C-alpha cells in the first residue's frame, strides 16, 4: 500500500515538473490591517512593493507562473490567501512580511517554515499576531483527496504522506531563500531559519515559506526597508532563492 501512495506522490511531482512552477506571492497584511509601522511607513506597503518586484522578475522567467495574492492595498483574509494558492494549483507559496521587536538591536531577515519542533516563545508570539482573524476550521483540503473518495483510514494515510512531502519541500524553500539572501553572510543576531505555526504555513496544502524582510524597529533595517533600491535587491534575492529551489527539486531523485 505504501509503495502505491509513494508512486502517487511521484506521479504528482513529475506532473508538476512538466509545467512552469506556479508561485503564489503573498504580500502580508493589506486593507485596514496595515501591519507594523514606523514613522507612518507601514508593513503592508513594503511587502507589496517587494512582492510586485518579485512578481515581475518571475514573470520574465519562463520557468515560473507568478500570482499575487493581492495586487493593491485591499485586504485579503488569511483563508482567502489559502484559497488563492489552492485555486491556482500553486507549487509554492511565499508570504512576505516585515518584523518588529522591543529590542532595537534585533535585525536581519528570518525565514520560516511549518514547525515540527516546539517553537520558541518569540516565534509563537509572532505567529499569534499574524494568525489573528483566521478561521482555523475553514481550511482547504488537498486536491488529490477532493477528487477521490477514500475511507477515513486511507484518507488519513494519504494526508500524512502529502503533509510530510509538503513540509520537506517547505524546509528546502526556506533554506534556499536564506542561502541566496545576501544579508545571510553578515553576522546578525537574527537572519536565520525558524519554525512557527503561521496559518499560511500550517494550514496550506501548498509547500510554503514566510520571510520577514527585516525589523522596522532597527535603524539599519529601517533604512533598507525604506530604500527603493534595497527593496528591489530583496526581491532579486528572493527570486534567486526560488530559482535555486526549483533547480534542486528538478534534480532531486524520485523513486517509488
Amino acid at each position: 500500500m505504501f509503495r502505491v501512495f509513494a508512486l502517487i506522490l511521484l506521479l504528482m511531482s513529475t506532473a508538476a515538473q512538466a509545467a512552469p512552477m506556479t508561485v503564489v506571492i503573498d504580500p502580508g497584511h493589506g486593507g485596514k490591517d496595515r501591519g507594523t509601522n514606523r514613522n507612518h511607513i507601514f508593513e503592508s506597503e513594503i511587502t507589496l512593493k517587494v512582492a510586485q518586484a518579485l512578481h515581475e522578475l518571475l514573470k520574465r522567467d519562463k520557468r515560473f507562473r507568478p500570482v499575487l495574492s493581492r495586487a493593491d492595498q485591499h485586504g485579503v483574509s488569511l483563508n482567502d490567501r489559502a484559497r488563492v494558492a489552492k485555486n491556482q494549483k500553486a507549487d509554492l507559496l511565499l508570504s512576505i512580511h516585515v518584523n518588529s521587536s522591543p529590542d532595537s538591536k534585533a535585525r536581519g531577515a528570518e525565514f520560516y517554515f511549518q514547525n515540527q519542533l516546539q517553537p520558541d516563545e518569540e516565534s509563537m508570539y509572532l505567529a499569534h499576531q499574524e494568525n489573528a482573524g483566521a478561521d482555523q476550521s475553514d481550511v482547504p483540503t488537498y486536491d488529490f483527496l477532493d477528487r477521490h473518495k477514500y475511507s477515513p483510514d486511507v484518507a488519513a494515510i494519504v494526508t500524512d504522506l502529502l503533509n510530510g512531502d509538503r513540509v520537506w519541500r517547505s524546509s528546502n524553500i526556506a533554506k534556499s531563500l536564506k542561502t541566496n539572501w545576501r544579508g545571510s553572510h553578515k553576522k546578525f543576531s537574527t537572519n536565520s531559519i525558524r519554525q512557527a505555526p503561521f496559518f499560511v504555513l500550517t494550514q496550506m496544502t501548498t509547500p510554503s515559506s514566510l520571510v520577514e524582510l527585516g525589523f522596522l524597529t532597527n535603524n539599519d533595517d529601517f533604512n533598507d526597508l525604506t530604500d527603493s533600491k534595497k527593496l528591489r535587491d530583496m526581491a532579486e534575492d528572493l527570486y534567486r532563492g526560488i530559482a535555486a529551489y526549483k533547480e534542486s527539486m528538478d534534480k532531486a531523485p524520485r523513486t517509488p
Side-chain angles (χ1 to χ4, degrees):
M1 180 182 289
F2 284 101
R3 288 181 62 84
V4 172
F5 291 135
L7 180 59
I8 289 171
L9 290 176
L10 169 65
L11 294 174
M12 292 171 66
S13 178
T14 303
Q17 297 297 332
M21 175 179 279
T22 298
V23 180
V24 171
I25 309 166
D26 177 44
H29 304 278
K32 294 180 180 179
D33 176 16
R34 304 177 75 178
T36 190
N37 75 92
R38 178 177 174 182
N39 297 349
H40 302 291
I41 304 296
F42 291 90
E43 178 179 2
S44 60
E45 299 167 353
I46 297 171
T47 60
L48 183 60
K49 289 178 181 178
V50 173
Q52 289 172 330
L54 176 58
H55 182 271
E56 286 302 312
L57 290 168
L58 290 170
K59 192 175 180 181
R60 297 172 194 166
D61 190 329
K62 293 182 180 179
R63 296 177 297 172
F64 300 100
R65 185 177 75 90
V67 177
L68 286 166
S69 66
R70 69 176 176 93
D72 51 35
Q73 287 300 338
H74 286 87
V76 181
S77 72
L78 290 175
N79 295 84
D80 284 341
R81 294 169 198 260
R83 290 191 189 93
V84 168
K86 181 179 180 181
N87 292 340
Q88 292 292 334
K89 302 186 185 304
D91 300 299
L92 182 161
L93 178 137
L94 177 62
S95 191
I96 302 174
H97 289 259
V98 172
N99 223 332
S100 65
S101 172
D103 180 6
S104 63
K105 294 181 181 179
R107 66 174 303 193
E110 295 178 337
F111 306 91
Y112 288 85
F113 68 100
Q114 178 178 349
N115 61 300
Q116 293 174 291
L117 305 174
Q118 184 67 27
D120 56 65
E121 185 176 342
E122 182 181 352
S123 297
M124 281 292 294
Y125 177 72
L126 184 60
H128 176 73
Q129 287 183 305
E130 299 292 356
N131 291 345
D135 181 358
Q136 303 282 348
S137 66
D138 183 20
V139 178
T141 56
Y142 287 103
D143 280 338
F144 189 84
L145 294 179
D146 290 347
R147 295 195 303 268
H148 300 78
K149 292 184 178 180
Y150 295 109
S151 68
D153 288 345
V154 173
I157 293 172
V158 175
T159 298
D160 284 345
L161 286 168
L162 292 171
N163 280 338
D165 181 71
R166 175 175 56 82
V167 172
W168 174 71
R169 290 175 186 273
S170 297
S171 69
N172 282 318
I173 294 168
K175 292 173 186 175
S176 184
L177 292 172
K178 182 182 185 300
T179 299
N180 288 277
W181 188 263
R182 277 168 277 193
S184 295
H185 305 294
K186 300 177 182 178
K187 294 182 179 179
F188 295 155
S189 59
T190 56
N191 208 346
S192 58
I193 296 175
R194 309 180 75 170
Q195 299 182 59
F198 291 103
F199 181 88
V200 293
L201 303 184
T202 61
Q203 304 298 333
M204 286 285 183
T205 60
T206 300
S208 56
S209 179
L210 183 147
V211 57
E212 297 276 0
L213 300 171
F215 288 77
L216 273 181
T217 44
N218 175 270
N219 289 334
D220 291 328
D221 277 5
F222 178 78
N223 290 335
D224 288 346
L225 292 167
T226 53
D227 182 312
S228 295
K229 182 182 181 304
K230 292 291 185 181
L231 294 181
R232 287 195 298 272
D233 288 344
M234 292 178 190
E236 289 177 3
D237 289 352
L238 295 175
Y239 164 73
R240 290 189 296 111
I242 292 171
Y245 163 75
K246 183 182 186 332
E247 290 167 6
S248 69
M249 291 296 101
D250 287 347
K251 294 176 182 177
R254 302 182 186 87
T255 55

